[in-house]
């Protein structure tokens, strides 16, 4: 259970990281 | 067989393991076979049946030749591991090209092999003709090849087929996947597959839903989602249509694929560490830092130089940033026409994209290039050397870098990283020279050479079914070497040359 929770959190944090990075690049183009 | 083995020591072990890998990958043909059956395509069913029969026979024959009385599978040596990895790639490229050739969309077997090598190495260059009208079965096969190639064929075969695990690690390293997630190889291979399959489900779902929103019918949206995901995650660059990702004309589709192609270019070790609860790894890891810095700088330079070409910032993001990130992660999805790189982007734009292609993604990921890890290591070692020079002569300082755990930056690591970077540059330089020899402009030759060496798949228009045979051959070899990171290919080459030398020596004696 603990392991699965970790995996889901890990998956989400990776997704959020890439989203943030994509957003950052988008901001760069706006500037 | 015994006679031959005297010249090629360990040939039985090589055949035994390579045979199993061939069988394992051949069995994958069942998937496109069933797909074709389901969507009622008769000719592709026959193509895959014939190919499956030939490949299984070849695999079984190799295993049978390998199971001799003196097959000493326990003492698999490093050289054998490397030779097995490289040899099974060569054999599989030929076998997996059979359905391509039978489909009638390739006018020579060499072109079919080119496409298979492009799939296995997750490059994404295409010589197949009339891509928009190939069967769903063959499309499935193309994307399975790129998906499996990304994770590693050896990884797949090892995780399911071979039970004697004694020497498996050495074959696994031969495929340029040198990270141990868990102590045993089978576990590591299965974890790599687990991570990929979890993302496969999420990514296909996301693209399927988005496909329906942008107006595809549900079945077509599913296949498009599945195909585009496997290409994006494997940093492959294949697409079911000749216009690549431009076919969809969709900003949302591009954003979703961009997220998965960045994720696919990250190290499997990193995915595993983060899934184990080490979330800080995302920020601390040297590969992430290297990727963020280099890709950000490339994007910024490209935007400054090329922004005037496009009307607004959304267009700039879609045309410039998307293509740069696609090049940097070695994916090769492109939403502008190949000739636009040459005619619109100009020399400076091309230099940026060539740099991005050569740097590539992370080590032990699905990406190509000489990898962010090595760029980070070499860069840190330069800084360390300058610091040593400037500090007092008696002080001894230890320099470290962080990749899953802290490593000491010693000369051996720097040396092996530099050797591989140099090998990439040599392959790239020869490719460029070959292009100019056949009369292509310098920048365009360099672009295409960087694309094959880094397993990217962006094209500036040189890669066509009618390009010179020597260039097609060289591109196949460059993709192969770039993917297996040279050592295995050199090992196979040395093994064959060594054996032939012995044969010649005997012949001369007689």
């Amino acid at each position: 259970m603990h392991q699965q929770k970790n995996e889901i959190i890990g998956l989400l944090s990776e997704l959020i990281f890439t989203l943030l990075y994509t957003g950052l690049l988008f901001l760069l183009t706006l500037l | 067989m015994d006679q031959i083995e005297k010249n090629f020591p360990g040939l039985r072990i090589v055949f035994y393991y390579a045979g199993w890998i061939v069988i394992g990958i051949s069995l994958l043909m069942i998937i496109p076979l069933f797909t074709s059956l389901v969507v009622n395509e008769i000719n592709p069913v026959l193509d895959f049946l014939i190919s499956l029969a030939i490949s299984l026979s070849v695999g079984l024959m190799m295993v049978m030749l390998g199971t001799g009385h003196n097959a000493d599978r326990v003492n698999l040596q490093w050289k054998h591991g490397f030779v097995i990895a490289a040899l099974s790639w060569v054999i599989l490229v030929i076998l997996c090209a059979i359905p391509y050739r039978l489909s009638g969309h390739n006018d020579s077997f060499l072109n079919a092999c080119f496409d298979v090598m492009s799939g296995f190495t997750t490059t994404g260059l295409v010589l197949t003709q009339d891509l928009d009208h190939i069967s769903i079965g063959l499309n499935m096969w193309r994307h399975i090849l790129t998906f499996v190639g990304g994770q590693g064929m050896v990884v797949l075969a090892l995780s399911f087929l071979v039970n004697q695990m004694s020497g498996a690690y050495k074959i696994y390293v031969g495929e340029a996947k040198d990270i141990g997630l868990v102590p045993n190889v089978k576990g590591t291979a299965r974890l790599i597959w687990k991570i990929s399959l979890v993302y496969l489900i999420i990514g296909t779902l996301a693209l399927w839903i988005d496909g329906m929103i942008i107006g595809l019918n549900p079945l077509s949206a599913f296949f498009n989602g599945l195909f585009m995901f496997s290409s994006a995650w494997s940093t492959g660059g294949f697409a079911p249509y000749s216009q690549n990702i431009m076919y969809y004309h969709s900003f949302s589709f591009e954003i979703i694929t961009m997220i998965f192609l960045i994720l696919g270019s990250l190290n499997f070790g990193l995915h595993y560490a983060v899934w184990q609860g080490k979330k800080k790894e995302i920020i601390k890891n040297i590969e992430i830092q290297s990727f963020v810095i280099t890709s950000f700088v490339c994007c910024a330079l490209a935007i400054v130089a090329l922004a005037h070409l496009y009307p607004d910032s959304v267009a700039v993001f879609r045309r410039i940033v998307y293509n740069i990130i696609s090049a940097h992660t070695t994916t090769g999805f492109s939403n502008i026409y190949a000739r636009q790189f040459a005619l619109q982007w100009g020399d400076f734009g091309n230099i940026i994209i060539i740099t991005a292609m050569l740097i590539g993604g992370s080590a032990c990921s699905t990406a190509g290039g000489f990898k962010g890890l090595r760029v980070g290591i070499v860069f840190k070692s330069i800084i360390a050397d300058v610091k040593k020079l400037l500090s007092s002569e008696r002080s001894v300082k230890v320099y470290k870098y962080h990749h899953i755990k802290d490593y000491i930056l010693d000369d051996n690591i720097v040396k092996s990283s530099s050797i591989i970077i140099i090998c990439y540059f040599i392959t790239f330089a020869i490719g460029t020279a070959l292009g100019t020899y056949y009369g292509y402009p310098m920048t365009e030759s360099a672009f295409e050479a960087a694309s094959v060496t880094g397993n990217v798949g962006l094209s500036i228009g040189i890669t066509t079914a009618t390009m010179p045979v020597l260039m097609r051959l060289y591109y196949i070899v460059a993709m192969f070497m770039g993917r297996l990171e040279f050592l295995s290919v050199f090992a196979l080459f040395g093994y064959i040359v060594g054996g032939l030398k012995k044969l010649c020596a005997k012949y001369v004696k007689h």
Side-chain angles (χ1 to χ4, degrees), chain A residues 3 6-7 9-11 13-15 17-19 21-22 24-26 28-30, chain B residues 194 199 202 259 262 271 274-276 279 282 288 292 295-296 303 313 317 321 325:
Chain A
Q3 173 64 20
N6 262 342
E7 285 181 2
I9 293 173
L11 186 85
S13 46
E14 282 188 336
L15 282 171
F17 167 76
T18 35
L19 253 176
Y21 186 55
T22 319
L24 181 75
L25 290 175
F26 190 61
L28 176 75
T29 45
L30 284 183
Chain B
K194 182 182 166 187
Y199 274 118
I202 299 173
I259 286 169
I262 293 177
H271 287 298
V274 174
W275 289 23
Q276 286 290 301
K279 287 187 291 296
I282 299 188
I288 298 268
V292 167
S295 60
F296 197 85
I303 290 170
S313 47
F317 183 77
V321 175
I325 292 293

Side-chain angles (χ1 to χ4, degrees), chain B residues 103-352:
Chain B
S103 74
H105 285 269
N106 288 91
D107 47 9
S108 74
F109 199 73
L110 181 67
N111 287 5
C113 287
F114 184 99
D115 266 40
V116 174
M117 185 57 99
S118 166
F120 274 153
T121 57
T122 74
T123 303
L125 289 170
V126 183
L127 291 184
T128 301
Q129 298 298 298
D130 197 18
L131 205 58
D132 302 293
H133 297 105
I134 64 174
S135 59
I136 295 180
L138 188 63
N139 249 330
M140 184 65 115
W141 184 230
R142 294 172 66 221
H143 290 89
I144 286 175
L145 290 187
T146 196
F147 190 64
V148 170
Q151 275 48 259
M153 296 181 284
V154 170
V155 172
L156 176 72
L158 290 183
S159 51
F160 295 106
L161 281 174
V162 182
N163 275 321
Q164 283 187 324
M165 282 291 97
S166 46
Y169 183 68
K170 291 168 184 168
I171 315 175
Y172 171 77
V173 174
E175 208 182 29
K177 295 251 187 306
D178 50 358
I179 201 155
L181 304 182
V182 286
N184 69 65
V185 179
K186 202 163 187 165
T188 303
R190 288 206 166 156
L191 273 170
I192 288 181
W193 277 95
K194 182 182 166 187
I195 294 167
S196 298
L197 289 178
V198 168
Y199 274 118
L200 175 75
I201 294 166
I202 299 173
T204 308
L205 260 177
L207 288 172
W208 187 11
I209 294 167
D210 191 51
M212 289 192 283
I213 292 171
I214 62 174
L216 298 168
N217 73 50
L219 184 70
S220 155
F222 171 74
F223 278 120
N224 279 295
L226 182 67
F227 294 160
M228 291 311 277
F229 171 79
S230 24
S231 269
W233 170 256
S234 295
T235 66
F238 279 157
Y241 302 101
S242 54
Q243 287 193 321
N244 208 284
I245 192 133
M246 201 168 19
Y247 172 85
Y248 303 97
H249 281 297
S250 159
F251 190 26
S252 54
F253 221 79
E254 284 159 16
I255 292 282
I256 297 173
T257 47
M258 188 162 159
I259 286 169
F260 287 109
L261 60 90
I262 293 177
L263 281 167
S265 80
L266 301 182
N267 195 311
F268 281 109
L270 178 86
H271 287 298
Y272 182 64
V274 174
W275 289 23
Q276 286 290 301
K278 296 182 197 160
K279 287 187 291 296
K280 277 197 180 150
E281 197 62 39
I282 299 188
I283 302 161
K284 277 164 68 185
N285 196 295
I286 185 173
E287 283 187 313
I288 298 268
Q289 292 171 350
S290 160
F291 172 75
V292 167
I293 293 170
T294 50
S295 60
F296 197 85
V297 170
C298 286
C299 287
L301 286 174
I303 290 170
V304 170
L306 306 170
H308 64 275
L309 295 174
Y310 300 100
D312 55 51
S313 47
V314 176
V316 169
F317 183 77
R318 288 179 66 179
R319 306 295 172 216
I320 300 178
V321 175
Y322 188 84
N323 281 300
I324 295 282
I325 292 293
S326 167
H328 202 301
T329 55
T330 75
T331 307
F333 279 154
S334 177
N335 50 14
I336 61 175
Y337 290 104
R339 291 308 292 163
Q340 278 178 297
F341 284 120
L343 303 173
Q344 260 189 341
W345 280 41
D347 284 350
F348 186 67
N350 283 331
I351 282 178
I352 294 170

Side-chain angles (χ1 to χ4, degrees), chain B residues 279-439:
Chain B
K279 287 187 291 296
K280 277 197 180 150
E281 197 62 39
I282 299 188
I283 302 161
K284 277 164 68 185
N285 196 295
I286 185 173
E287 283 187 313
I288 298 268
Q289 292 171 350
S290 160
F291 172 75
V292 167
I293 293 170
T294 50
S295 60
F296 197 85
V297 170
C298 286
C299 287
L301 286 174
I303 290 170
V304 170
L306 306 170
H308 64 275
L309 295 174
Y310 300 100
D312 55 51
S313 47
V314 176
V316 169
F317 183 77
R318 288 179 66 179
R319 306 295 172 216
I320 300 178
V321 175
Y322 188 84
N323 281 300
I324 295 282
I325 292 293
S326 167
H328 202 301
T329 55
T330 75
T331 307
F333 279 154
S334 177
N335 50 14
I336 61 175
Y337 290 104
R339 291 308 292 163
Q340 278 178 297
F341 284 120
L343 303 173
Q344 260 189 341
W345 280 41
D347 284 350
F348 186 67
N350 283 331
I351 282 178
I352 294 170
I353 215 160
I354 289 169
T355 315
M357 290 198 281
L358 283 174
I359 293 173
S362 299
C364 194
S365 70
T366 65
F370 49 66
K371 315 279 167 21
L373 179 63
R374 303 208 176 91
V375 176
I377 288 173
V378 170
F379 189 71
K380 277 213 165 176
S381 81
I382 294 173
I383 292 177
D385 272 8
V386 173
K387 272 187 186 165
K388 265 182 213 163
L389 194 71
L390 295 180
S391 63
S392 110
E393 276 174 26
R394 266 173 293 173
S395 74
V396 178
K397 229 181 175 179
V398 176
Y399 295 91
K400 286 181 185 168
Y401 66 95
H402 184 84
H403 174 55
I404 318 294
K405 55 184 185 202
D406 280 331
Y407 289 92
I408 293 170
L409 191 71
D410 68 5
D411 287 349
N412 272 334
I413 293 176
V414 179
K415 187 184 120 195
S416 59
S417 302
S418 320
I419 286 177
I420 289 185
I421 292 181
I422 291 169
C423 284
Y424 268 103
F425 268 111
I426 293 173
T427 318
F428 163 66
I430 296 174
T432 311
L434 194 66
T436 48
Y437 172 77
Y438 281 108

